[in-house]
Amino acid sequence: MIEDIAQTARTVSASIVELATVRGLRDLDIRMQFSTDAEGRDYSPLLTLTGPSDVLYDIVNYLVEAADTLGRAYKPTKKHPGLAVARCPRQMKAVFSSLSAALDAVCTDLSAQDPEVAEDHASTRRLLTELEDRVCATVPSQGAGPSAEEVATAIRTDPEVARAAAAALAGMA
C-alpha cells in the first residue's frame, strides 16, 4: 500500500510539472518549439518540445495511472478487508477529489479537439468516487453520553443499575 501511494505521488508530481510547462508555454503563445541550426532548419540532435495537446493526453494517462495505482493500494483482500481504508481519511478524500478535479479540467481542455475524451475516462471518475466513498468513510462522532447527575439518578432508581455499578466498582479495586 505504501509503495503504491508513493508511486502515485511521483506520477502526480511529474504530471504537475508537465502541466505547468504546457500552461506556461500556452500563456506565452508558444505552441511548439523546435531546435534549429544556423540556417533555420530543424536540428534533430536537440530535443523538440511536443505540442501542448500531446502533453495533455499524456497527463490524462498519468492521472488514470495514478487512480489505478490508488485502486490497487486500497483493494480489499479476503484475509484483511478492513485494512483497505485510509489512515487519514480527510487527507485522502482531498487526494481523490483533487485527482477527479484535475482529470475533469484536463479532459475539458482536450474536449475542444476530441469531444470523446471525457467519455473515455468516465470509468476513472467512477473509480475515484468509489474509492473516496469506500476508503474515506469516517466513523460518526459519539454522543456525549449521560451526565454524572443522570448516572447517579439511574443508580438510585434502578436496582439492576445499582448492582452493575457496584460490581464494576468492586472489579476496579
Side-chain angles (χ1 to χ4, degrees), residues 134-156:
R134 180 174 52 82
V135 171
C136 300
T138 56
V139 177
S141 62
Q142 300 296 318
S147 68
E149 184 64 34
E150 291 170 330
V151 171
T153 303
I155 290 172
R156 282 188 220 112

Side-chain angles (χ1 to χ4, degrees), residues 2 7 26 30 32-33 47 55 59 66 71 79 92 96 99 105 112 119-120 127 135 141 148 157 167-168 170 172-173:
I2 292 170
Q7 177 60 40
R26 186 181 292 168
I30 298 172
M32 294 190 80
Q33 176 183 332
L47 297 175
V55 175
I59 290 170
K79 190 172 181 179
M92 284 309 296
F96 294 131
L99 279 174
E119 295 169 17
D120 293 343
L127 171 66
V135 171
S141 62
T157 58
M172 292 176 62

